[in-house]
Every structure is written in C-alpha cells, then in structure tokens.
Amino acid sequence: QVLAQRVKRLPDHQRTLVEVLSVANNPIPLHIAFQQSGLTDGALRSLWTLRASHLIRTTGAGANDLVELHHDRMRESVLDYLSRDQTAELHLGLARAFAAENDASEDDAWIFDCVRHFNSAHQLLADAERVDIARLNLSAAKKARETGAFPLAFDCFRAGTELLGEEAWSEEYELILALHSGAAETAHFNAAWDELREHVEALKSHGRSVFDQLVGWEVQIDSCIARKDYAESIDVAIQALHLLETELPANPSEAEVGAAVQLAMESLGQVGPDGLKNLAIADDLRIIAIMRILSSISSAAYFAAPSLLVVLACRQVVASVKHGLSSVTGYALSVYGIVLNTLGLHQDAQTW
C-alpha cells in the first residue's frame, strides 16, 4: 500500500509511465514508454526524476535505450490498484506499439512482447484482428520451438487457438490446423496432458484428411509412452494404422511372427546388401506415415508385447524394400538383426 500511494502521488504523466512499465513487465524502449504514457515535453526531466527516486532504471537516454521498473514489488503494488479494464487497455497500447516496432525490425526482435500483450488484451480485439494476432502467435510459437523454448511455444500456439472460434475450421482452416498441431506437439514436451487431449481431439474431429489428423494420433501415441501406458499406445497406433488402410495385430501369434520374419528375409534376399543401399527414398506419404507409426511404438512393444516388436521391425524392412528407404529403415534393420541373432542366424544378422 505504501508503494502504491507513492505512485499515486506522482504527477499524471510520471504515474502513467510507472503504470505502463508495470504492465510491460520487461525492459522496453524509451520511445515506446514515452509514447504510451503520453510524455512529450519534459520527458527526460521526468525520466531522471523517477530514476533519482529509485522508481525506474534505464540503460541510457536514447530513444532505443531500455527502461524498466526498479523492482518487482513496485510492479505488484501498481498492478494491484489498476482495474482489469485499465490493465487491458495498457496491454493493447503496448501490443500495437511493439507490433509497429517488430514490423520495422529485420529479425522479429519484439515478436514475443508483441504477442504477450495482444494475448493479455484479447477481450478488446475485433474479430478481424483476432485472425491476424493468431497468425502472429503462430510465427512466435514456431520461432520459440526452433530454439527449444517449448513452454513459450506452447503458450503461443494455445493462445492462437483461443483467439479463433469454431468457425475458423471452415474459414481459416490451415491456420487453426497449424496452431492445434503445434499446441499438441509442444503440450507433449511440457507434459501438459489435459491440454494435449484437447488439441488432439480437435485435430481428430476437424482434420479434413487422415494426414491432417496424424499429428494428433502420433502425439497421443508418444504421450502414452511417456506416461508408460504402453498397451494404450499400441491400441492408439492400431487405430491410426487402420485409418491408413493397414492392419496390425496387437498380440501376434507364433505363426504371424514366423510369417513376418520369412517375408522380411525373402524381401531382403531379392535385393541383397548392395541393392538395399541403392534403393530410392520413399515418397509415398501414406507409406512413410505407416513406417513412422510402426517405429514409434517399438519401445512400447518391447515392454507390453515383445512378439509385436518382431512384426514391427519386419514390416518396416519389407516396406523399405518395396517402397523405398525412410528415416526409420536403419532402426528397423537393427531390430531385425537382433531377431536373426536370437534365431542363431549370426552371419545374416551381421550382414543386415
């Protein structure tokens, strides 16, 4: 209360500057701080007064120098007395200022500040503007994901989905598909299981093709494995493979395992080691997806259905010979080699 009263007693423009910096919650360029607080005449004098009072700190007095509050307790005190409407208005003003700043930069330097403030003022956005801000969130989320900042990426992806209504699935399909796909993937990295289920269900319900839904299915498989629900991951994979017109036994019999090994041996025998190396790269999206899903449940099969692991490896080997090599071919051959070793076919295992 003491800090809040101290701020309230400041001259109007100085008080507004402190309020702007409280809502900003990060160092911001001086010219944005002055613009949003309405400081024009005597701006530098006000700046030095606040600095001398240990209310703010700056890196200098230039337009692009940064300014921030001196400590967090001041920010908390100011935010406590601001109304929700006042805070939202300040967020929106900062968002628009950062959007202009970001457009002028060459590397989206202010994109995260920009989306953070727009998202905090989402209730003030017009419908048309919501689509643009959702796209901005998508760009920010991708940038965060590329640097491994998965919590930030998830927040941006999810905020983008919340800005759009159900009608976006018909009016802005590619945008909302990308946002839900990214949110599902990054929710997995953040162990946000409840949110992950929401985005997975949205992808399954609204994806126009099985390929558009695949991210949801594959993330669900990965999340089951992460939670050590191995049997469930296999069940989910079987459902996804069915959509891709491929069937997989959950617990293959000895006869099915034997047939799978025999077919793999025959397929590899037709091309030989040198022929295998020279095979083309697979380009059939359905086959690539099938092989990726088969590979993704290998660890689950190891724990929940060991006989299935043999079938998975053999099927990927056969698919590689028939349709071309993929990123999972090497791993499939390694597992296949282990299978041959257990059968006493050590020379063949070494070859492949």
Side-chain angles (χ1 to χ4, degrees), residues 166-201:
E166 286 293 306
E167 67 277 2
W169 285 106
S170 57
E171 297 174 3
E172 298 288 343
Y173 178 75
E174 295 298 332
L175 173 60
I176 196 168
L177 178 68
L179 286 166
H180 276 290
S181 297
E185 289 176 329
T186 50
H188 169 68
F189 292 127
N190 288 291
W193 307 127
D194 291 339
E195 291 86 349
L196 181 147
R197 277 189 285 272
E198 286 180 39
H199 296 294
V200 165
E201 286 307 312

Side-chain angles (χ1 to χ4, degrees), residues 12-54:
D12 288 347
H13 288 322
Q14 291 182 23
R15 186 189 71 250
T16 304
L17 175 59
V18 172
E19 291 171 352
V20 167
L21 294 177
S22 298
V23 172
N25 194 25
N26 266 333
I28 66 174
L30 267 177
H31 70 92
I32 289 181
F34 287 163
Q35 177 193 57
Q36 295 305 306
S37 57
L39 272 172
T40 52
D41 296 335
L44 289 179
R45 187 182 308 110
S46 295
L47 183 71
W48 300 132
T49 300
L50 292 172
R51 183 175 176 177
S53 302
H54 300 291

Side-chain angles (χ1 to χ4, degrees), residues 22-344:
S22 298
V23 172
N25 194 25
N26 266 333
I28 66 174
L30 267 177
H31 70 92
I32 289 181
F34 287 163
Q35 177 193 57
Q36 295 305 306
S37 57
L39 272 172
T40 52
D41 296 335
L44 289 179
R45 187 182 308 110
S46 295
L47 183 71
W48 300 132
T49 300
L50 292 172
R51 183 175 176 177
S53 302
H54 300 291
L55 294 177
I56 65 171
R57 55 190 174 195
T58 70
T59 60
N64 292 316
D65 280 310
L66 302 179
V67 58
E68 63 178 328
L69 287 184
H70 201 274
H71 49 77
D72 286 340
R73 189 63 61 85
M74 175 68 71
R75 178 180 62 83
E76 293 166 1
S77 298
V78 172
L79 292 179
D80 280 344
Y81 78 70
L82 288 175
S83 69
R84 289 185 61 185
D85 288 344
Q86 286 176 304
T87 303
E89 288 288 352
L90 288 172
H91 274 301
L92 187 59
L94 285 166
R96 298 197 194 286
F98 277 119
E101 194 77 4
N102 194 63
D103 289 342
S105 70
E106 296 180 356
D107 57 354
D108 288 337
W110 296 101
I111 191 169
F112 297 114
D113 290 277
C114 183
V115 296
R116 178 167 61 87
H117 289 299
F118 270 127
N119 294 339
S120 296
H122 62 87
Q123 68 270 32
L124 301 179
L125 299 176
D127 289 344
E129 194 172 25
R130 284 173 171 268
V131 174
D132 292 333
I133 305 310
R135 287 198 178 92
L136 197 61
N137 270 284
L138 179 60
S139 297
K142 288 179 176 179
K143 185 172 183 177
R145 183 173 58 186
E146 287 171 1
T147 62
F150 297 119
L152 177 57
F154 172 67
D155 289 344
C156 293
F157 279 126
R158 187 165 175 81
T161 66
E162 292 173 347
L163 286 168
L164 303 175
E166 286 293 306
E167 67 277 2
W169 285 106
S170 57
E171 297 174 3
E172 298 288 343
Y173 178 75
E174 295 298 332
L175 173 60
I176 196 168
L177 178 68
L179 286 166
H180 276 290
S181 297
E185 289 176 329
T186 50
H188 169 68
F189 292 127
N190 288 291
W193 307 127
D194 291 339
E195 291 86 349
L196 181 147
R197 277 189 285 272
E198 286 180 39
H199 296 294
V200 165
E201 286 307 312
L203 291 167
K204 288 182 180 179
S205 301
H206 298 287
R208 293 176 182 173
S209 72
V210 63
F211 297 107
D212 289 347
Q213 299 172 24
L214 270 181
V215 167
W217 287 102
E218 293 184 67
V219 167
Q220 187 178 0
I221 292 168
D222 291 342
S223 70
C224 289
I225 294 173
R227 299 195 306 273
K228 298 184 179 180
D229 194 348
Y230 303 124
E232 177 65 18
S233 71
I234 292 171
D235 289 341
V236 174
I238 289 172
Q239 295 175 57
L241 290 168
H242 178 74
L243 293 176
L244 291 165
E245 302 174 2
T246 264
E247 304 304 325
L248 181 71
N251 288 290
S253 64
E254 283 189 24
E256 289 174 314
V257 172
V261 173
Q262 183 64 35
L263 183 57
M265 293 177 70
E266 291 174 358
S267 297
L268 289 172
Q270 291 172 6
V271 295
D274 292 334
L276 181 66
K277 295 176 186 176
N278 295 320
L279 288 174
I281 302 299
D283 58 3
D284 185 319
L285 294 180
R286 186 180 73 87
I287 297 300
I288 293 171
I290 289 170
M291 293 177 70
R292 193 169 60 240
I293 291 172
L294 292 174
S295 180
S296 71
I297 56 169
S298 295
S299 61
Y302 176 83
F303 290 107
S307 60
L308 177 59
L309 179 60
V310 178
V311 173
L312 294 175
C314 291
R315 286 215 183 172
Q316 292 172 77
V317 167
V318 171
S320 295
V321 173
K322 186 175 181 180
H323 299 285
L325 306 178
S326 78
S327 59
V328 303
T329 301
Y331 177 72
L333 286 168
S334 298
V335 177
Y336 175 69
I338 294 173
V339 172
L340 294 181
N341 263 325
T342 63
L343 296 175

